[in-house]
Amino acid sequence: MDDPKGMATRTRLVHAGRRPHDNHGVVNPPVYHASTILQPSLAVWESSRKADFKGYRYGRAGTPTSRSFEEAVAAMYGAADAVAVSSGMASIACALMAVLKAGDHVLVTDSAYYPTRKFCDQMLARFGVETTYYDPRIGAGIAGLMKSNTRAVYTEAPGSLTFEIQDIPAIAEVAHAHGAVVLTDNTWGTALHFDAFAKGVDIVVEAVTKYICGHSDVMMGVIASTAEHAPAVRAMVGLHGNCSGPDDLYLAQRGLRTMAVRLKQNEANGLELARWLEGRPEVATVLHPGLPSHPDHALWQRDFTGACGLFSFVLKPLPRAALAAFLDGLTLYGMGASWGGFESLILPGDPKALRTATSWDEPGQLLRIHAGLEEIADLIADLDSGFERLNAAARAAA
Ligand SMILES: *Cc1c(COP(=O)(O)O)cnc(C)c1O
């Protein structure tokens, strides 16, 4: 099936981008390892140098393997185009560079993924682009920060580590009235739970590394764009010489086919863990927008159709030895960067150090959890033993 338009996202991501009968009926597309791609004649060679060429000209510019994955992602998002790049971070860098030039101003949420901030502060600044960070909960108040040279507004909801939901439709309305482009990092929401283009976003970046791949074994990113911005995005990716390897593209596409069913389990486990943690005396607050206690719960309900398995919680202040006793004895939660795989993870975070437009005032340690696909009772039992160790270590330190 080429283009199952009008169907549910979960249907599109099963079928889009596959053409079995072009490949002997084989369900999944073949993996083309290619640098050189031969043209059959002088006339075709000459036409292959033109911008509107529909075939394949060079491995870096696209192969049937990359095209099939990109078609699937574009169909999943209902985007005009999607382009795969070598990591989620590369998707952020290329998307920002596609819309910004020297002398421009960009507004970036204060809750952005930290490497995004670093890119703005260390790369965009060098090329004469000024960044202003804004309160993620600013909503239509973003109007007060728009300057005559504000060319882009960068959003990310929920906030990295801190899980604020942004009023992206309100922000997009203001941005568009000022002629600015709206970008969003939709790695948490995915196309399944946040319909970014319907909410006014022009360019979506997503770390394929996380849920699309889903198995903690691929680094990749994707940029999905409206027809207006697609050519500039593709051109910028080309200027950077950025592309993805064929085996990774294959794995990402395979992950895409099962993403909806995996996410259901990540979501259910994450919500269950969040509710359980909310009832623990050692916990100061749980940052999960799916909880009614979350300050942005109503906004999340309005704009999202679900959650993934990633959320944070904040412990009441405790000795470091108690934190170490909690974390070091966990058997099911690995400690490491990234998320979106089949396995559960836990990681300490320090938002205080990453903020400039707003402050982070929770005194206790923040921990970010990724709920994997394990049985929920086992995930809870592991944390429960962790709290036993935490309390014993806290008593010993007192
Ligand atoms: C991981 C992540 C990225 C970067 O993806 P990589 O593939 O690791 O470069 C970008 N945004 C968010 C929200 C992420 O969690």
Side-chain angles (χ1 to χ4, degrees):
M1 187 181 289
D2 285 353
D3 190 10
K5 276 202 184 77
M7 297 187 192
T9 306
R10 62 176 53 243
T11 302
R12 276 182 269 147
L13 63 79
V14 169
H15 290 281
R18 294 195 294 115
R19 290 193 183 77
H21 295 292
D22 288 357
N23 298 297
H24 313 284
V26 174
V27 167
N28 288 296
V31 180
Y32 284 89
H33 284 264
S35 52
T36 298
I37 295 173
L38 305 176
Q39 308 302 337
S41 66
L42 176 63
V44 177
W45 167 258
E46 284 171 348
S47 73
S48 76
R49 303 297 99 185
K50 304 227 164 78
D52 61 353
F53 180 63
K54 294 284 180 268
Y56 300 99
R57 77 187 92 203
Y58 186 47
R60 166 154 46 74
T63 65
T65 308
S66 62
R67 187 169 292 177
S68 127
F69 174 69
E70 291 171 348
E71 274 182 19
V73 173
M76 172 175 81
Y77 266 112
D81 188 29
V83 54
V85 291
S86 57
S87 70
M89 193 53 227
S91 71
I92 294 163
C94 288
L96 284 167
M97 293 203 88
V99 299
L100 294 165
K101 61 178 187 317
D104 285 347
H105 174 235
V106 58
L107 290 165
V108 175
T109 177
D110 208 28
S111 56
Y113 176 63
Y114 179 59
T116 304
R117 288 185 81 106
K118 269 202 334 207
F119 181 79
C120 295
D121 297 344
Q122 296 178 21
M123 179 72 99
L124 292 183
R126 269 171 62 183
F127 288 89
V129 175
E130 185 201 354
T131 302
T132 301
Y133 294 98
Y134 65 88
D135 182 339
R137 295 191 167 108
I138 199 166
I142 195 102
L145 298 177
M146 302 292 305
K147 304 192 201 185
S148 58
N149 61 339
T150 306
R151 174 71 185 125
V153 180
Y154 188 92
T155 62
E156 181 178 336
S160 200
L161 295 179
T162 46
F163 293 86
E164 300 90 341
I165 298 292
Q166 298 197 254
D167 191 341
I168 292 179
I171 289 171
E173 201 182 324
V174 173
H176 290 153
H178 285 78
V181 185
V182 179
L183 300 95
T184 203
D185 182 333
N186 200 31
T187 303
W188 191 94
T190 79
L192 283 161
H193 293 153
F194 185 70
D195 191 355
F197 293 99
K199 306 288 182 222
V201 172
D202 304 298
I203 300 175
V204 173
V205 296
E206 182 172 341
V208 172
T209 307
K210 310 290 166 55
Y211 283 114
I212 293 180
C213 159
H215 293 73
S216 307
D217 52 3
V218 167
M219 299 297 308
M220 197 184 297
V222 70
I223 313 171
S225 316
T226 59
E228 185 187 352
H229 299 287
V233 167
R234 223 169 236 286
M236 183 53 65
V237 170
L239 289 172
H240 276 278
N242 199 305
C243 60
S244 299
D247 294 310
D248 286 347
L249 285 158
Y250 181 84
L251 288 172
Q253 174 154 187
R254 195 165 78 157
L256 193 71
R257 307 303 177 196
T258 59
M259 182 168 79
V261 62
R262 284 186 283 106
L263 260 176
K264 271 193 173 178
Q265 182 77 5
N266 295 116
E267 175 183 38
N269 280 354
L271 272 166
E272 198 64 36
L273 285 177
R275 287 190 204 104
W276 183 80
L277 284 164
E278 230 182 2
R280 291 294 310 196
E282 301 87 350
V283 172
T285 181
V286 179
L287 308 169
H288 189 310
L291 293 180
S293 60
H294 190 277
D296 306 320
H297 181 64
L299 197 53
W300 174 78
Q301 277 189 314
R302 188 194 74 183
D303 288 351
F304 288 72
T305 55
C308 67
L310 194 80
F311 68 99
S312 291
F313 66 102
V314 181
L315 289 167
K316 292 178 181 164
L318 80 175
R320 192 182 154 75
L323 177 67
F326 177 76
L327 292 174
D328 292 351
L330 294 173
T331 58
L332 298 179
Y333 299 81
M335 206 184 308
S338 201
W339 45 279
F342 49 79
E343 84 286 27
S344 290
L345 299 166
I346 194 163
L347 203 62
D350 180 16
K352 219 182 239 99
L354 311 177
R355 298 247 163 180
T356 51
T358 53
S359 63
W360 176 257
D361 304 320
E362 289 286 343
Q365 176 67 52
L366 179 145
L367 294 172
R368 190 188 72 181
I369 281 192
H370 177 253
L373 307 180
E374 301 92 333
E375 171 61 40
I376 185 65
D378 294 329
L379 289 178
I380 288 177
D382 200 21
L383 290 183
D384 197 41
S385 315
F387 283 122
E388 266 178 49
R389 288 189 305 275
L390 179 154
N391 288 318
R395 277 193 300 274

